[in-house]
Amino acid sequence: MAPPRSLAGAAIAATAAAIILSCLFYRRKCARLAARVRELEASLAVTAEKAAAERRGRVRAQQSLRALSQLEPGSDEARPTKAAASASYPLVPIGTVESCFSTRNGTPRQPLVVTLARATLVLDPARVPAAALEGLASYSHCWILYVFHLNTDLDKLWKDPARSKLKAKVRVPRLKGGKMGVLATRSPHRPNPIGLSVAKVEAVNGHTLLLSGVDLVDGTPVLDIKPYLPYSDSVKGAAVPSWLEVDGALAVESVHFSEHFISALSTCWMHVQMSLYASADEFQDLIKQALSWDIRSISQRNRPHQVSVEADANGHCGEDTDDDHHHRDTGRYGVVYHLHLEGIDVSYRIDQGSNIFVEDATLLPDAVQKRHGYLAWRDKLGSSVL
């Protein structure tokens, strides 16, 4: 018979072995679960990107259908039919905006907020002779009337108003999700999707205007241009609601640029063509100004780690949604957001203290090349502006 001490030692050894085996089994189970979580996260990211790509495809398809619907069947020329003319734009655009803002996201909610935001307004010579712009360069600012052409409900709004389901109230960014009557806001979703914006007139050259301080997305159709008159357009003592009087309601605390971003931007800049900015440093100043305001939607600010791909807004001011604001959940500060400017994809994060960290810059493969860049305006403006 074995001594008691030997039996006790054997029991302790058996217990220790059982504990070790249990720990090994637990660690393996945790490793399998962690691997499964990573697989599910990767699958979620792929699904979200596919959904976003499908939505972008639907928007492009709707825009193509609108263009095709304005052509007479069997006609060789692109002539609007009478039905299309009455159901489509009530006014024919006189020009198009070539803006530094490639997408709706990041386009300022109000004009003159981002002073470095530049755009060229190219008028249609067939509709507006160059002589129509004579004298406009003598004004410092002008009004731009335009169409919110990226609204995805334009077909229903114009062709079948009964099905348009215009929202009487929209969410307002400054109210943090609170709603206001659409006509008491500057939401792009209006009974008639017409926008009004003021911009600084930098120069006029033939059929083209150089503007700054714009809040217009690239490709915006322009209906009219009017000079800004301070004596009548600026109202002394004008009152606004209390929720608009809060200074810096959407301002961020700081904007920081990583060394990797600066290096990546320098590489991208060597391949950028026809930019309205003279250097990568000036372009970086634009990024800082654009990101000095929290451009995220209300839902993104309230639920920054929840990927949302459903949206339906024009990206100007007013109703706040997630469209064109691609992001993914990863890394130290959580979500990586993307801002598209001048054909460059700018990646950044924002922490809980509203500090922005700009991390990377890459060229957009499908960026539309502009017809008018810095060199076209350098001689006309000198070094004071550009």
Side-chain angles (χ1 to χ4, degrees), residues 136 140-144 197-199 201 209 211 225-228:
L136 186 61
S140 65
H141 295 76
C142 69
W143 293 106
I144 307 295
S197 182
V198 66
V201 180
L209 288 78
L211 306 171
I225 304 167
K226 300 177 185 294
Y228 177 87

Side-chain angles (χ1 to χ4, degrees), residues 31-183:
R32 289 196 297 270
L33 290 175
R36 181 56 178 164
V37 169
R38 288 193 294 270
E39 291 176 1
L40 291 174
E41 288 178 340
S43 177
L44 178 62
V46 171
T47 301
E49 179 57 31
K50 286 183 178 178
E54 289 175 358
R55 173 164 180 79
R56 293 193 295 269
R58 289 199 304 270
V59 172
R60 287 193 292 266
Q62 288 176 345
Q63 293 171 349
S64 298
L65 286 173
R66 284 199 295 271
L68 290 173
S69 67
Q70 295 181 6
L71 300 181
E72 285 191 13
S75 174
D76 294 332
E77 298 182 0
R79 291 189 294 121
T81 64
K82 293 182 179 180
S86 62
S88 185
Y89 298 127
L91 301 174
V92 179
I94 63 171
T96 307
V97 171
E98 293 182 3
S99 172
C100 63
F101 300 106
S102 305
T103 62
R104 291 172 286 188
N105 169 253
T107 303
R109 292 184 170 95
Q110 303 293 344
L112 305 182
V113 172
V114 179
T115 57
L116 278 174
R118 295 180 187 142
T120 53
L121 200 171
V122 184
L123 300 180
D124 181 2
R127 292 190 52 81
V128 183
L133 293 175
E134 186 176 338
L136 186 61
S138 300
Y139 295 89
S140 65
H141 295 76
C142 69
W143 293 106
I144 307 295
L145 280 81
Y146 58 94
V147 177
F148 287 110
H149 68 299
L150 294 182
N151 284 7
T152 56
D153 60 349
L154 293 185
D155 281 336
K156 289 190 293 185
L157 179 63
W158 289 328
K159 296 182 180 179
D160 193 357
R163 295 180 56 246
S164 65
K165 295 182 180 180
L166 177 71
K167 294 181 180 179
K169 289 189 174 183
V170 294
R171 291 187 298 167
V172 180
R174 285 175 176 262
L175 290 179
K176 299 180 179 180
K179 291 188 175 183
M180 192 63 58
V182 64
L183 296 182

Side-chain angles (χ1 to χ4, degrees), residues 348-386:
Y348 71 96
R349 305 175 193 263
I350 181 167
D351 66 11
Q352 294 182 349
S354 294
N355 299 291
I356 285 182
F357 301 87
V358 185
E359 299 180 338
D360 199 5
T362 57
L363 288 173
L364 291 168
D366 55 349
V368 178
Q369 294 296 331
K370 295 180 173 59
R371 292 179 292 170
H372 305 83
Y374 160 74
L375 295 177
W377 299 100
R378 181 178 58 181
D379 295 338
K380 200 169 186 66
L381 293 170
S383 60
S384 59
V385 178
L386 296 181

